[in-house]
Amino acid sequence: MANNSCKDLPDEVWELILNKLHQRHHSLLESPSLSCKRFLSITNALRTRLSIVDRTTIPLSTLFSRFPNLNSVHLRFFSPGDLGRVIADIATSGLNLRTLNFTGTDGLPLESCRFLGSRMKNIRVLICLALRTLRDIELVVIADSMPCLEDLDISFPENDFGSDPELQGRTLGEVGVTDSGIESLIALSTNCVYLKEISVLGCHLLTLFGIGFVLRNSTNLSLLSVGEIDFGQLDDFSIRWARNLSTLNIYNSVVSDECLHLLANAGIPLKKFTLSHFVHSSFTFSGISSLLNKYRSLKGLSLVRIDFLTDEKMSGLSQCLSAVVTISLDGCDNLTESTFFMLAKNCPLLVDIRMQGTNLGGGGDKTTDIVKNPRINLEVPVVSSCKGITEKGIADFLKSGSKLRSLRIDECGGIKNIGNGFELSELDFIGAARSGINDDGLVLIGNRCLRLLNLNLDGYLGVTIVGLKEILTNCERLRKINLTGCLNVCTETADWMVFSRPSLRKIILPHSYLPSESQRQLFLHCGCLVLSK
């Protein structure tokens, strides 16, 4: 009777049930998809994102037909020739894509992009991160081809042309992204009126002139990420035009107190703010305090490598952070666990705190204080590179970590294990690169973190088969493990791992132990990509 009742359920009901699994993690759909053709068809329809790392032996048209509801495609490490053919396949696929990601590819084939734009009118997000080549002409083509674009990331173009004779004697705009390119992007896309998010980190030829043009002419702009800009001549007029700007990220730029006061008085609807210190910056605690006093509804705050911040000053700033949900204080090396506890206690909505490279543990071992306060319930603490943290401190902290989803203890040499205790049922990621975790520590992780999906042991010299065996035996959902720099790992270890833990989808090995091409293809047929960084 029960079996008949299940068969009688319409596909729409099964789709709702399976979608609940999909929302938790897409890997949970693997078992249902293998159980019957009906579930395979339903799970295929639920998939909306696809990453393609190279031109596989499977025709792309087959993949696009299998997953008819794809709206996001990520292409990585393609040469221009192959990328052009893949873009043509995408353009003729009939998919209704909204997101395209070209991260790490050599460059954008212009004619292919024009063809794509002529066939797909609904692309909203374009990510061109770390392209080998990105120039003004690419921005013009993007503007002309994608009128509905809302989010553009052109950060960190390499533009390292070396001694290429074809590029000698060219103008700046022909070898990189300049102010003229940004101006062309906005001006040529009278179409791009929907543009909301722009990230231009690492575009060395851009100046404040181009950024000011963006602020004045992109009236719907809600996110701007910039780096290496001199804000000394920032004018009040440009800032006030950015009336929808809710996220502003400023990295490695020249910033003064006057600039921060301008931002404070602009009255923009700021919800997230990032500021990293730069050697030529002149801003002080006064500027930061002025800004945070004005924007007390901030939900995200990142203050990076600001060495004048102390526990006492952060105590004062915390009075402005009652609405903050995520905070990063990476590299603020005068901050200790006093700031950690103070933020965790005084910010009732806080779930994500990063204090990588600070002086956590340097103020004395008060970590057990966190157990005494039931209001402290962080989900994503990041305490990497904090030399003063001990295994006792992290073990005491984890006693209150029932909702912990992610734990970053990279480069914490004092942490050899996470301690005994109850199962950390929500924890799916541990970053322990170059930490002090030993085989006994891996055994404890295997015993307590049964739902672990991703484990980073990069640079951990002490890893052996003993600790890995416990991880692979107990962590039945493990999908990715990074063993870069683990000298006790060899090709035979990868062979054993792939066949003993079928859930694995990616293993990152030291380059010297990378399997042969035939072995990698065998592992790939088992569903696991084995590679080196």
Side-chain angles (χ1 to χ4, degrees), residues 258-482:
E258 288 74 19
C259 172
L260 296 178
H261 291 318
L262 276 178
L263 287 171
N265 295 322
I268 57 178
L270 201 61
K271 296 297 181 184
K272 295 181 180 179
F273 181 66
T274 296
L275 180 64
S276 72
H277 186 260
F278 185 60
V279 65
H280 299 299
S281 288
S282 61
F283 66 86
T284 67
F285 180 73
S286 172
I288 293 178
S289 179
S290 169
L291 184 91
L292 297 184
N293 264 305
K294 288 287 186 177
Y295 296 107
R296 289 174 172 260
S297 59
L298 277 180
K299 294 186 179 300
L301 175 65
S302 181
L303 301 174
V304 182
R305 298 191 307 277
I306 300 178
D307 52 14
F308 59 72
L309 285 181
T310 62
D311 291 335
E312 183 179 359
K313 289 179 178 177
M314 280 305 304
S315 179
L317 292 180
S318 70
Q319 306 305 313
C320 309
L321 302 177
S322 60
V324 78
V325 177
T326 66
I327 188 167
S328 173
L329 299 168
D330 290 349
C332 299
D333 51 17
N334 287 320
L335 300 182
T336 72
E337 62 272 16
S338 294
T339 290
F340 183 94
F341 298 139
M342 177 268 300
L343 290 172
K345 293 176 181 177
N346 296 343
C347 304
L349 302 180
L350 186 64
V351 297
D352 185 342
I353 182 168
R354 297 177 55 96
M355 292 185 67
Q356 181 172 337
T358 60
N359 194 28
L360 277 181
D365 191 3
K366 305 174 186 176
T367 316
T368 51
D369 291 350
I370 202 166
V371 183
K372 301 173 184 177
N373 194 318
R375 292 177 56 195
I376 299 178
N377 207 3
L378 299 179
E379 296 179 15
V380 190
V382 178
V383 294
S384 301
S385 303
C386 298
K387 309 299 183 184
I389 293 185
T390 66
E391 57 192 64
K392 178 182 183 301
I394 204 69
D396 286 341
F397 171 74
L398 291 177
K399 290 177 182 178
S400 65
S402 61
K403 291 189 176 181
L404 201 68
R405 295 184 286 108
S406 171
L407 179 64
R408 298 292 299 267
I409 52 174
D410 305 301
E411 300 184 7
C412 292
I415 300 177
K416 293 181 172 54
N417 65 70
I418 62 172
N420 289 299
F422 55 81
E423 179 189 350
L424 299 169
S425 59
E426 300 295 322
L427 188 63
D428 59 23
F429 172 78
I430 294 179
R434 297 171 296 282
S435 68
I437 294 287
N438 53 27
D439 274 341
D440 290 339
L442 291 180
V443 170
L444 287 173
I445 289 174
N447 289 333
R448 297 188 65 186
C449 310
L450 305 183
R451 296 174 183 263
L452 197 65
L453 298 174
N454 189 339
L455 177 62
N456 184 2
L457 297 173
D458 182 3
Y460 168 39
L461 301 179
V463 64
T464 70
I465 200 76
V466 175
L468 288 177
K469 183 177 180 181
E470 199 70 28
I471 293 289
L472 297 184
T473 300
N474 293 339
C475 302
E476 298 181 353
R477 295 172 53 193
L478 189 68
R479 294 179 65 81
K480 178 180 177 181
I481 187 167
N482 185 348

Side-chain angles (χ1 to χ4, degrees), residues 142-161:
I142 289 170
D144 285 342
S145 305
M146 302 178 183
C148 294
L149 204 61
E150 296 179 2
D151 182 350
L152 175 64
D153 189 341
I154 55 171
S155 297
F156 306 112
E158 295 182 12
N159 289 335
D160 181 10
F161 302 108

Side-chain angles (χ1 to χ4, degrees), residues 9 41 50 73 92 100 103 140 160 183 187 253 263 315 372 387 401 406 463 482 520:
L9 287 176
S41 176
L50 180 67
V73 172
T92 56
L100 263 178
T103 295
V140 174
D160 181 10
E183 192 169 339
S253 297
L263 287 171
S315 179
K372 301 173 184 177
K387 309 299 183 184
S406 171
V463 64
N482 185 348
R520 291 171 66 189

Side-chain angles (χ1 to χ4, degrees), residues 151-314:
D151 182 350
L152 175 64
D153 189 341
I154 55 171
S155 297
F156 306 112
E158 295 182 12
N159 289 335
D160 181 10
F161 302 108
S163 58
D164 190 337
E166 295 183 5
L167 293 169
Q168 300 304 310
R170 301 286 182 92
T171 65
L172 288 177
E174 292 175 300
V175 296
V177 176
T178 67
D179 292 338
S180 296
I182 289 291
E183 192 169 339
S184 298
L185 172 65
I186 306 300
L188 289 177
S189 30
T190 43
N191 350 316
C192 271
V193 294
Y194 304 110
L195 201 58
K196 295 180 180 179
E197 301 186 10
I198 301 179
S199 295
V200 289
L201 302 173
C203 296
H204 306 298
L205 301 177
L206 283 179
T207 70
L208 184 60
F209 174 80
I211 300 303
F213 190 93
V214 168
L215 292 171
R216 293 190 300 273
N217 290 276
S218 300
T219 55
N220 289 314
L221 191 67
S222 63
L223 179 150
L224 178 63
S225 294
V226 298
E228 300 178 30
I229 299 293
D230 185 346
F231 283 91
Q233 301 299 317
L234 182 67
D235 61 278
D236 181 70
F237 179 72
S238 295
I239 289 293
R240 291 189 182 277
W241 267 97
R243 52 183 173 270
N244 291 309
L245 191 64
S246 59
T247 300
L248 179 60
N249 302 316
I250 302 175
Y251 298 93
N252 302 328
S253 297
V254 179
V255 178
S256 65
D257 279 346
E258 288 74 19
C259 172
L260 296 178
H261 291 318
L262 276 178
L263 287 171
N265 295 322
I268 57 178
L270 201 61
K271 296 297 181 184
K272 295 181 180 179
F273 181 66
T274 296
L275 180 64
S276 72
H277 186 260
F278 185 60
V279 65
H280 299 299
S281 288
S282 61
F283 66 86
T284 67
F285 180 73
S286 172
I288 293 178
S289 179
S290 169
L291 184 91
L292 297 184
N293 264 305
K294 288 287 186 177
Y295 296 107
R296 289 174 172 260
S297 59
L298 277 180
K299 294 186 179 300
L301 175 65
S302 181
L303 301 174
V304 182
R305 298 191 307 277
I306 300 178
D307 52 14
F308 59 72
L309 285 181
T310 62
D311 291 335
E312 183 179 359
K313 289 179 178 177
M314 280 305 304

